[in-house]
Amino acid sequence: MDWDDLRVFLAVARAESLSGAGRRLKVDPATVGRRVVRLEEDLGRRLFVKSPQGYGLTEEGARLLPHAERAEAAFDGATEALRGPEGLTGQIRLGAPDGCANYLLPQVIARICDANPGLEVQLVALPRVFNLSKREADMAVAVSRPEAGRLTVQKLTDYRLHLAASRDYLAGHAPILAREDLKDHRFVGYIPDMIFDKELDYLAEIGVPPPPLASNSVSVQLNFLRQGAGLGVVHDFALPAAPELVRVLPEVISLKRAFWLIRHADDGRVARLNRFAALLTSGARAEMARLEGCGAE
């Protein structure tokens, strides 16, 4: 069995199309198709079934997948071992929720890359869960700890959230002295049917109805608040980026959450990813402490 053919198999399994696999491998789809046929002929098994939705794994293909993933991890580990212990190099793709990606990770990753000039990091900010089995990212940050799948999980850092509003909004509206005063104010939050994780349903936890101003993006919500649109729940680590905002009822309403760093189980053999994960974790915790300290001032 040829390793290059296994790489093609993995790319098709993850992209669920020849064209998508071709883009990942930087070869034309026809070549991808020929390599799949060659592998199927070598194994005497049909690995994919084509449908209007794309290329899906057959039962035989599904059985091959974890073995191919382990071979990929072993190959990556061998390549890393030959490179030696010098600085991190190559490309790493990290997925993260947009709040984390916008207000916490850029400065952490910039410092890691400053110390490792040969490293390239792609930070993908999307308000959803990433599929590591399909290699949408090498690792991902999540707001809930996954309970299933061949994954390794470690806590990246804890973080806190509070109600906040702009000084202009608070100056022009009824005073907020107690929780019951909140009923007289407009809220900004997530679009209810686009909350992809229960940990993000902050307003329901506080006891506030669905907001009249809503977005699936933390950054958009923050900008609503900066423009004096109302009250909303804000990450403490984002407050230094929005000096117009102040906390509201911080002694009464305070939320605590955690970011989790998620990796594919087989990647534990890849020293390069292990080193990056360690640097990311220590850097994120230090930066979180700095930002939350600034936001409390």
Side-chain angles (χ1 to χ4, degrees):
M1 190 183 306
D2 188 284
W3 163 239
D4 283 338
D5 289 343
L6 273 183
R7 286 178 62 243
V8 171
F9 165 76
L10 284 170
V12 176
R14 290 163 179 164
E16 298 182 342
S17 73
L18 300 184
S19 58
R23 286 192 295 272
R24 294 186 183 200
L25 299 171
K26 298 181 179 179
V27 298
D28 64 89
T31 299
V32 174
R34 288 194 296 270
R35 299 287 285 278
V36 168
V37 171
R38 184 172 76 179
L39 180 60
E40 290 180 330
E41 290 175 348
D42 288 347
L43 295 175
R45 298 287 188 275
R46 191 176 183 190
L47 303 175
F48 295 99
V49 58
K50 186 177 181 181
S51 72
Q53 288 72 43
Y55 279 70
L57 289 170
T58 63
E59 184 177 342
E60 290 83 358
R63 287 203 300 268
L64 177 61
L65 181 61
H67 299 285
E69 289 175 333
R70 285 194 287 271
E72 179 185 53
F75 181 84
D76 289 344
T79 302
E80 176 66 18
L82 291 174
R83 286 176 178 160
E86 65 272 7
L88 288 167
T89 59
Q91 184 183 97
I92 294 175
R93 178 176 290 181
L94 173 65
D98 69 326
C100 179
N102 274 287
Y103 305 109
L104 174 66
L105 294 182
Q107 55 271 38
V108 175
I109 292 171
R111 286 193 284 269
I112 295 173
C113 289
D114 285 345
N116 298 273
L119 179 65
E120 300 176 16
V121 178
Q122 296 179 345
L123 180 56
V124 184
L126 289 176
R128 65 173 178 82
V129 177
F130 284 81
N131 190 327
L132 295 184
S133 296
K134 293 186 177 181
R135 297 297 177 176
E136 292 181 339
D138 295 298
M139 56 186 73
V141 177
V143 294
S144 283
R145 181 177 187 136
E147 301 298 332
R150 297 184 63 253
L151 304 168
T152 59
V153 183
Q154 68 182 84
K155 183 182 285 189
L156 186 66
T157 180
D158 290 317
Y159 63 97
R160 297 185 181 279
L161 309 99
H162 289 88
L163 272 182
S166 72
R167 292 178 177 85
D168 288 344
Y169 175 85
L170 294 173
H173 292 79
I176 304 172
L177 303 177
R179 185 187 288 264
E180 52 266 26
D181 295 330
L182 297 176
K183 67 181 186 304
D184 299 322
H185 292 266
R186 182 169 64 185
F187 276 81
V188 173
Y190 280 100
I191 300 170
D193 62 358
M194 297 185 74
I195 296 176
F196 66 91
D197 191 295
K198 60 181 176 56
E199 295 289 344
L200 302 179
D201 201 1
Y202 309 128
L203 296 183
E205 183 172 336
I206 293 171
V208 174
L213 288 174
S215 173
N216 68 324
S217 165
V218 167
S219 298
V220 173
Q221 292 175 37
L222 192 73
N223 283 321
F224 267 134
L225 298 177
R226 294 179 71 181
Q227 296 302 316
L231 295 164
V233 174
V234 177
H235 301 80
D236 281 12
F237 64 78
L239 286 173
E244 307 91 341
L245 303 184
V246 294
R247 292 171 176 168
V248 175
L249 300 178
E251 295 81 13
V252 177
I253 297 174
S254 179
L255 306 178
K256 183 179 179 181
R257 297 289 191 269
F259 288 129
W260 301 89
L261 185 62
I262 317 299
R263 298 173 56 191
H264 195 283
D266 292 331
D267 287 347
R269 306 175 186 179
V270 183
R272 181 174 64 97
L273 296 180
N274 292 339
R275 289 159 61 195
F276 178 79
L279 291 171
L280 185 72
T281 300
S282 61
R285 290 175 181 176
E287 183 65 7
M288 184 67 74
R290 185 188 75 81
L291 291 171
E292 289 195 339
C294 291
E297 294 175 356

